[in-house]
Amino acid sequence: GMIHGVDLARAGGSELAAAVAKRCFTEGLVIERCGRGDTVLKILPPLTIDDALLVRGCQILADAIVAELQGSRTAHPSSPRA
């Protein structure tokens, strides 16, 4: 199968990766974390995936990353992340 990874170690580490994975899951996309410290989002679509479904999954992932990065910039450093 196809495998890709998005490394968030320098963007926010395992906390960001966990938040992105959680947000993706609420939108219907299952993303696993892996790598040192669980900072890499593992993308494992089947080779036979329909183009439209692949694009939708990538959009869910991109939207989740942007939303979490924007949230991390506006959140107070001592406040817990959702």
Side-chain angles (χ1 to χ4, degrees), residues 19-31 41 60-61 64:
V20 169
K22 182 177 180 179
R23 187 178 290 262
C24 285
F25 186 77
T26 64
E27 295 297 321
L29 181 65
V30 177
I31 295 284
L41 299 173
I60 290 171
L61 177 58

Side-chain angles (χ1 to χ4, degrees), residues 17 20 31 40 46 53 56 60 65 73 78:
V20 169
I31 295 284
V40 177
L53 189 56
R56 177 69 183 127
I60 290 171
I65 292 170
R73 287 190 201 128
S78 63

